[in-house]
Amino acid sequence: MVSAANVIWACMKASFYIYGFWLYSSEIVCCAVPTAGIGALLLFILVHIGKLPAPDPATVEEILGQDPLLQERDDSKKDSEEAIYIMRSIAHRGAALDAPENSISAFRQAKEKGMTAVEFDVTLTKDNVPIVFHDDTVDRMTEATGRINSMTWEEVKQLDISEKHPMRHKYGGERIPLFEDVVKECLDLGLRMFIDLKGDDLKMVSVVHNAYKNHKEMYTRAIVSSFNPFLIYMVRLQDPRITCMLAWRPHRFATLFYNGTNGDGQYRYDDPVRHYVARSVDLLDEWALHNFYHHFLGTSLVGLLRDTISQEVVRLWKERGLRVMPWTVNLPLEKQYFSRILKVGPADAYTKPIELKSVRTCCTSLRLKVTSFWAASSLEMSIVSPV
């Protein structure tokens, strides 16, 4: 017979084994989990608490019109009262071949050519006055030189942005406009607006909020875009009713430009260490684009470089509930491809002005016939009629 002492001793040994196993397991968990598991849990909680709701889909549709993916083409109703509004194209910086880009005249020309939407860029002067201007410097557009952020508004408003334009004889004396003046003009003309925030200055947040506060119509007439997700977040944090678009292209931290044919352009940094750090940030940024930004920011559109868009890409973003906005679509064949095959453009496409140094007086006709195919294609890019 097994004595009571043996039973007690067996139980004691079993308890030691169990206790030892528990200690060993708990040490492993305590050493490994806090950094990965607990950290991930806290991040999930913070993201869930901090994420912003998307605007009302009806508001987004009022700005953009019906999603072209949902409607079959019917040209017989295009000009009838039965036609459903679809944003056919966006005049990038206005009618920039017919008038100086980002000018009041360019936006008026866009309206005259039948456009329903324009895109323009907002930046700040040295004294924090919001103006509509694209470049970091004034060198390309004027005979002056210098950076916009080193000039005051008093200095900027003296500049003539028609000096290097082919139609300078018609628009001599055209000035860089204030953001407020452009908003008023576009609303008066009935134009939808894509407001691209240049740079990373958080002062832009109050600029946007003040504009929406002063012009309530902007909630159904304007979209704010930026490459900076934090800037988008701060804009929508204080006013989630604002419709926003996050713009993106591959390798934007490591390279100055990118295209699908040649790949990476010029590197931003000559230092190899800084370059590979930027490459790492690009990898994280691309992961966040597909897995994080749209959930957290509550964006309604994603602006993608046209070379990165395929039917698969359109489908994936459609499943996520976002429309795809390709930029920048210039050539007529490109416009037809995006419109009829991908069904995202030109209904959802920017059209970019192209400089014509050899053509000085041929920019006023939308379908002007010229002997050079390249020149003809370029002229059609500034103002695009519905296709």
Side-chain angles (χ1 to χ4, degrees):
M1 293 181 61
V2 180
S3 65
N6 290 337
V7 173
I8 294 173
W9 175 244
C11 290
M12 290 179 64
K13 287 196 298 183
S15 66
F16 281 126
Y17 284 128
I18 294 172
Y19 182 67
F21 177 77
W22 180 83
L23 283 178
Y24 181 72
S25 301
S26 63
E27 284 294 324
I28 294 176
V29 172
C30 289
C31 290
V33 170
T35 302
I38 297 177
L41 179 62
L42 291 175
L43 181 61
F44 175 80
I45 294 172
L46 289 174
V47 169
H48 184 73
I49 294 174
K51 73 174 183 178
L52 302 174
D56 185 351
T59 300
V60 178
E61 185 163 321
E62 188 168 354
I63 301 172
L64 297 175
Q66 189 181 71
D67 190 336
L69 286 171
L70 303 178
Q71 185 185 43
E72 292 297 324
R73 183 180 181 85
D74 187 354
D75 288 336
S76 64
K77 295 183 178 181
K78 184 173 65 176
D79 300 319
S80 70
E81 294 182 357
E82 299 179 37
I84 298 174
Y85 173 69
I86 295 180
M87 187 179 287
R88 294 292 178 184
S89 51
I90 304 163
H92 195 200
R93 307 177 204 167
L97 288 181
D98 296 271
E101 67 179 52
N102 277 327
S103 67
I104 295 293
S105 295
F107 302 129
R108 289 172 179 169
Q109 281 291 314
K111 178 64 177 180
E112 289 181 16
K113 301 297 183 181
M115 302 297 291
T116 60
V118 295
E119 181 270 354
F120 55 83
D121 310 280
V122 180
T123 189
L124 297 175
T125 61
K126 181 180 179 180
D127 48 349
N128 296 320
V129 176
I131 60 173
V132 173
F133 196 76
H134 176 269
D135 296 359
D136 293 331
T137 72
V138 300
D139 301 31
R140 179 175 65 90
M141 295 284 293
T142 74
E143 296 294 346
T145 59
R147 297 184 66 84
I148 281 288
N149 60 11
S150 67
M151 299 180 177
T152 65
W153 166 240
E154 288 298 320
E155 295 171 318
V156 168
K157 71 180 183 180
Q158 304 300 324
L159 301 176
D160 183 354
I161 56 175
S162 67
E163 290 175 330
K164 296 183 179 180
H165 193 272
M167 300 294 291
R168 60 184 178 276
H169 64 280
K170 181 178 180 180
Y171 295 102
E174 191 78 32
R175 305 302 177 186
I176 297 174
L178 291 168
F179 173 48
E180 174 69 12
D181 292 342
V182 171
V183 169
K184 288 180 179 178
E185 186 69 24
C186 289
L187 290 174
D188 289 343
L189 293 172
L191 292 170
R192 269 92 167 165
M193 294 169 278
F194 281 74
I195 303 168
D196 189 18
L197 306 181
K198 309 304 291 183
D200 305 317
D201 197 331
L202 289 180
K203 296 185 182 71
M204 285 288 192
V205 176
S206 60
V207 168
V208 172
H209 290 155
N210 289 337
Y212 275 80
K213 180 180 179 180
N214 296 332
H215 306 280
K216 302 297 185 183
E217 314 97 299
M218 290 180 67
Y219 287 106
T220 56
R221 287 294 180 271
I223 288 175
V224 177
S225 70
S226 173
F227 281 90
N228 187 334
F230 185 67
L231 199 57
I232 293 291
Y233 183 79
M234 295 306 296
V235 166
R236 300 203 68 248
L237 178 64
Q238 298 182 42
D239 193 345
R241 295 175 297 167
I242 297 176
T243 303
C244 287
M245 177 180 77
L246 181 66
W248 183 87
R249 71 163 176 85
H251 309 158
R252 71 183 183 92
F253 290 99
T255 63
L256 295 176
F257 57 89
Y258 175 92
N259 67 61
T261 302
N262 301 318
D264 291 341
Q266 181 182 346
Y267 291 170
R268 288 188 185 275
Y269 309 107
D270 295 327
D271 180 11
V273 175
R274 297 181 69 185
H275 175 71
Y276 283 107
V277 169
R279 284 285 194 185
S280 301
V281 175
D282 279 324
L283 290 174
L284 180 61
D285 183 55
E286 184 171 0
W287 176 89
L289 174 74
H290 293 285
N291 299 280
F292 177 73
Y293 288 149
H294 57 289
H295 292 297
F296 193 65
L297 304 177
T299 48
S300 304
L301 305 89
V302 58
L304 301 178
L305 181 67
R306 69 181 187 275
D307 296 353
T308 66
I309 299 174
S310 64
Q311 289 178 315
E312 177 73 4
V313 169
V314 174
R315 181 185 65 80
L316 288 174
W317 284 107
K318 179 66 177 177
E319 291 174 354
R320 296 165 184 165
L322 276 75
R323 296 199 196 187
V324 174
M325 181 74 68
W327 57 272
T328 304
V329 180
N330 291 327
L331 300 177
L333 288 178
E334 283 183 328
K335 292 184 289 177
Q336 291 190 26
Y337 172 72
F338 279 97
S339 176
R340 301 187 181 188
I341 305 301
L342 300 185
K343 293 189 180 296
V344 294
D348 291 330
Y350 286 166
T351 58
K352 182 179 181 179
I354 301 176
E355 292 185 43
L356 294 178
K357 296 184 179 179
S358 62
V359 180
R360 297 300 183 186
T361 61
C362 301
C363 297
T364 55
S365 174
L366 179 62
R367 301 291 180 184
L368 188 62
K369 301 298 182 181
V370 292
T371 56
S372 168
F373 171 78
W374 179 85
S377 298
S378 300
L379 287 173
E380 289 186 315
M381 292 314 96
S382 175
I383 298 298
V384 184
S385 63
V387 295

